[in-house]
Amino acid sequence: MRSTRTTFTRRGFLGLAAAAAASPALAACGGGLGSSGSGSGTVKFWDMPWSTPAYNTAAKKITQAYAPSSGNPKASYQTIQWSNFYQTFSSAIASKTGPAISTGGGFQAFQFDEQGQIAHADNVIDALRKNGQYDDFLPGVLDAFKSDKGYVALPWQLDLRVFWYRKSLFDKAGASVPTDWPSLLEAGKALKRIGVIGFCTGSGTGNFMGNHLMIAMMINNGGGVFTPDGQLDLLNDRNVEAIEFVSELVSNGVIDPAAVSYTLDNMDTQWKSSRTGYGLYVTGLPQRVGDTSGDIIAASPLTGPHGDKATLVFPNNIMMYKNTPSQASSEAFLVYYMGQLKHLWQQKLMSALPVFKSITELPEFAGDPNNVKIVKEYQPISKTFASRGTALDANIAVLDGGQAINQFTQTILTGKTDAKSALKTFQSGLQSVIKS
């Protein structure tokens, strides 16, 4: 499916930033959401192509089915392409022709919030408490969006990084599925001996998986780019230990020497053609590469050298803007839309994880054992780029989409320097572009 492919593409705007319920339930709670305003105009909802075109068709139908309470306007739906989307949003917001509500880049809300353009979602949270949806959120998914001023956005899907393996290759290599770092190295060597890639990753054009691997291994070891209060801390011992281990995978040929140039298409081909046995990738990998054999399986999370378990997550979100026919109308529509999300997973249009427990229990979702395992074992230990803290901000966007992390990843994958030197350069690169 294209959903996971666009999951990465959506981050293309970040480098630019571095440089410069059911409907009846809504009717009951929507009326108390802020002041009603004039009710003139239309609540414009801009959405991205998160999956195949069938996704946008379904999301448009949900939007058009919205029946606002008296005095509130209806909602309109528009698909915004990922290509140059940050410029599209920026120009429209500046000219006051932009949306009232949108999905978008993972950290877009925090960047526009800094510009004073985001309407906080606290009233929506209160409404979800009243209709019971607040208690339906998976543990911790709201934490990242709580700022000192309020909730910057609402999460609606989780883009998790998961360890996958191809069972037939492990059987052929006589290897055990890794449970920790030493067994990962040994399994990788065994897979290499039968002529396949022991750990699949990449850092070619448009491919952020190598970057995500570096951060995922840091947080899997109890480290992270930032301190709990958001200060840069790349040179801590846990990070050094993690990158030294990745370098060991490189030096042993477990990570392909050509990985530095692998695109997402290259990685997909390796998984699809049984040329790799293990790696960190997106949820829904079998569906992504069209493998229906059941041979590609979600492995359990790895245990780090000090007993830590963690994986990386990008909580994609829906945000509201201050330019709206009325704030109450935006809030009412958002409450409605959150209540309709289940239909997207019931139609199997999404490969990312939903944010609501009730959706994870639907037969259309829970019928896939990989989904069940990921929700049970990965989601509770997932952490964002903000780890060791929890709250996101615009600095996370600069980290995720800037050149410093790309250069760091490529340096490690090519084995050009030692872990401490690479981390020192990485920290210097970030210090020059983030806000203290």
Side-chain angles (χ1 to χ4, degrees):
M1 293 177 67
R2 290 167 52 198
S3 58
T4 46
R5 194 161 300 172
T6 53
T7 292
F8 302 117
T9 307
R10 67 183 168 79
R11 297 195 179 97
F13 81 97
L14 295 171
L16 296 173
S23 186
L26 167 71
C29 59
L33 297 176
S35 59
S36 62
S38 66
S40 61
T42 302
V43 175
K44 293 196 289 186
F45 176 38
W46 285 10
D47 196 13
M48 317 306 294
W50 292 101
S51 182
T52 63
Y55 159 79
N56 292 100
T57 299
K60 184 176 182 179
K61 287 181 179 179
I62 293 173
T63 302
Q64 292 176 332
Y66 171 57
S69 58
S70 178
N72 283 329
K74 292 184 176 181
S76 64
Y77 183 90
Q78 183 174 346
T79 301
I80 303 298
Q81 298 301 318
W82 288 111
S83 178
N84 299 316
F85 82 99
Y86 185 67
Q87 294 94 321
T88 300
F89 275 95
S90 295
S91 298
I93 289 170
S95 63
K96 296 189 182 300
T97 60
I101 302 172
S102 80
T103 62
F107 307 112
Q108 179 176 322
F110 296 92
Q111 294 176 295
F112 285 127
D113 190 45
E114 278 199 343
Q115 301 172 23
Q117 301 291 347
I118 293 294
H120 290 167
D122 295 60
N123 288 342
V124 176
I125 292 289
D126 289 342
L128 296 180
R129 283 194 177 96
K130 292 177 182 177
N131 71 13
Q133 276 191 284
Y134 181 86
D135 294 329
D136 196 22
F137 279 107
L138 290 167
V141 299
L142 286 170
D143 296 347
F145 298 97
K146 185 69 163 67
S147 73
D148 292 341
K149 302 174 186 177
Y151 285 94
V152 177
L154 284 183
W156 72 284
Q157 53 151 304
L158 303 175
D159 181 16
L160 280 160
R161 295 297 166 263
V162 175
F163 288 109
W164 295 92
Y165 71 100
R166 187 174 277 281
K167 184 180 183 300
S168 60
L169 292 181
F170 271 78
D171 291 343
K172 183 178 180 180
S176 298
V177 179
T179 58
D180 54 21
W181 292 13
S183 58
L184 169 56
L185 178 59
E186 292 309 308
K189 291 178 180 178
L191 290 165
K192 181 187 175 185
R193 286 193 291 269
I194 65 169
V196 299
I197 295 169
F199 192 103
C200 185
T201 191
S203 187
T205 302
N207 187 358
F208 293 86
M209 283 309 306
N211 297 353
H212 299 172
L213 170 63
M214 301 300 163
I215 306 301
M217 296 306 286
M218 291 181 194
I219 67 175
N220 187 226
N221 197 33
V225 177
F226 301 97
T227 63
D229 62 351
Q231 302 302 307
L232 275 178
D233 186 32
L234 274 163
L235 286 163
N236 68 72
D237 291 344
R238 295 295 184 92
N239 289 350
V240 173
E241 187 176 26
I243 301 307
E244 286 176 343
F245 177 74
V246 176
S247 295
E248 190 173 7
L249 296 178
V250 172
S251 65
N252 280 278
V254 173
I255 292 177
D256 193 328
V260 68
S261 64
Y262 285 163
T263 64
L264 290 170
D265 284 340
N266 294 146
M267 292 179 63
D268 289 347
T269 297
Q270 289 160 357
W271 278 105
K272 186 173 184 177
S273 60
S274 297
R275 288 162 52 192
T276 189
Y278 190 86
L280 188 75
Y281 217 13
V282 295
T283 55
L285 174 59
Q287 295 87 344
R288 176 182 174 88
V289 301
D291 191 307
T292 59
S293 67
D295 197 31
I296 300 177
I297 303 171
S300 291
L302 296 176
T303 301
H306 306 278
D308 301 278
K309 279 189 178 183
T311 193
L312 188 61
V313 64
F314 297 93
N316 293 319
N317 53 88
I318 302 179
M319 62 209 83
M320 297 184 295
Y321 303 84
K322 291 182 178 179
N323 184 39
T324 175
S326 78
Q327 188 57 39
S329 297
S330 291
E331 293 164 354
F333 174 76
L334 184 49
V335 173
Y336 159 81
Y337 195 81
M338 294 296 286
Q340 303 302 308
L341 290 177
K342 62 182 179 181
H343 298 298
L344 301 175
W345 276 268
Q346 284 178 319
Q347 297 176 60
K348 298 187 177 181
L349 298 173
M350 299 298 300
S351 60
L353 262 63
V355 295
F356 291 123
K357 291 177 284 187
S358 59
I359 300 180
T360 69
E361 296 165 356
L362 293 171
E364 294 87 353
F365 183 88
D368 185 335
N370 287 323
N371 286 344
V372 174
K373 187 166 192 171
I374 292 168
V375 170
K376 180 181 178 180
E377 298 186 19
Y378 279 87
Q379 192 278 322
I381 62 167
S382 61
K383 299 179 183 294
T384 69
F385 265 25
S387 181
R388 292 164 277 164
T390 57
L392 299 173
D393 58 27
N395 282 340
I396 307 298
V398 176
L399 162 65
D400 188 29
Q403 288 303 307
I405 190 171
N406 293 336
Q407 292 166 359
F408 168 70
T409 297
Q410 291 172 354
T411 298
I412 297 301
L413 292 182
T414 54
K416 288 183 177 179
T417 189
D418 63 279
K420 282 188 177 180
S421 298
L423 285 165
K424 185 176 180 180
T425 301
F426 186 12
Q427 174 136 331
S428 296
L430 282 177
Q431 282 175 330
S432 67
V433 292
I434 71 170
K435 295 182 179 180
S436 57

